Amino acid sequence: PKPPGAFEKLGLHAELMWRDPLVIVAAPAWIGRHGASAAAWPGSSMLRMTGFPWPRRIGPHRLAVASGLEANDAMVLAEAARLGLGVACLRRSLVEDSIRRGSLQDLSPDIDLPGDTALWLVCREEMRDHPAVSMFWQWAAEQAARDPLRSAASSLPSAEGSWSTAGRLEQARPRAERTRDVGRRDAAGFDVAAVADAAQQALGSAG
């Protein structure tokens, strides 16, 4: 994919490593009541993520003004959608397991929604062929090829399990321990410590 123009203007080489598109999901029971067409969705059932408004249109359909449940935690909205409380627009990595299990259905399979999350690998153009950069670039590409979207989903509690015994046990772990573990992975599922180690090794071998 072509990198954003800002990269080229700054003389940077960029490659897309990972994409986490937005999807619109709802429970089968909710779809049975309101239908799969966005034109029929009541605004009161459109679940809202604080700071991330719904798009005005989806395909040819103009949406009602969203006025449903609002939360600043995407997993809360995923759980609400799974329980049939409304329709939600969320990152696919958060609801991949629920879609696979059938507890949520993707209502936007052929729609490219704006606002998806992307991970780009970027370096100065003149550094692209540097041995250390090339080694790290190859390693990062191999990591991205291992389906980081699924890695991200598996590292988070699924909507079905967000209030489970396992979730409560996780909260019971010492805060410092939980913070350390969470800090090692970014939203794409990459092990941040491993990234740092690989970069250090690459620079050392090229030095």
Side-chain angles (χ1 to χ4, degrees), residues 102-192:
S103 56
L104 289 175
Q105 290 184 18
D106 182 359
L107 297 173
S108 55
D110 301 317
I111 301 174
D112 188 15
L113 297 170
D116 64 333
T117 300
L119 177 68
W120 291 84
L121 200 57
V122 182
C123 71
R124 296 203 308 269
E125 190 68 51
E126 67 272 17
M127 293 295 293
R128 179 62 184 90
D129 295 327
H130 188 282
V133 174
S134 296
M135 289 175 61
F136 178 76
W137 206 283
Q138 180 180 354
W139 176 86
E142 290 172 354
Q143 297 299 306
R146 295 178 181 175
D147 193 2
L149 180 61
R150 186 160 299 177
S151 297
S154 63
S155 67
L156 294 167
S158 67
E160 287 87 340
S162 56
W163 314 121
S164 67
T165 301
R168 291 194 294 272
L169 288 173
E170 172 65 14
Q171 290 300 315
R173 294 171 62 202
R175 180 182 179 85
E177 182 180 338
R178 286 188 280 120
T179 302
R180 182 191 66 219
D181 288 350
V182 170
R184 287 181 61 86
R185 286 192 176 272
D186 66 7
F190 289 108
D191 190 320
V192 177

Side-chain angles (χ1 to χ4, degrees), residues 1-5 7-8 14-16 120:
K2 187 175 177 59
F7 289 151
E8 293 181 334
E15 291 183 20
L16 181 63
W120 291 84

Side-chain angles (χ1 to χ4, degrees), residues 19-24 55 89-92 106 108 111-117:
R19 223 181 138 228
D20 192 1
L22 291 174
V23 293
I24 297 173
C89 184
L90 299 167
R91 288 186 291 117
R92 188 173 186 88
D106 182 359
S108 55
I111 301 174
D112 188 15
L113 297 170
D116 64 333
T117 300

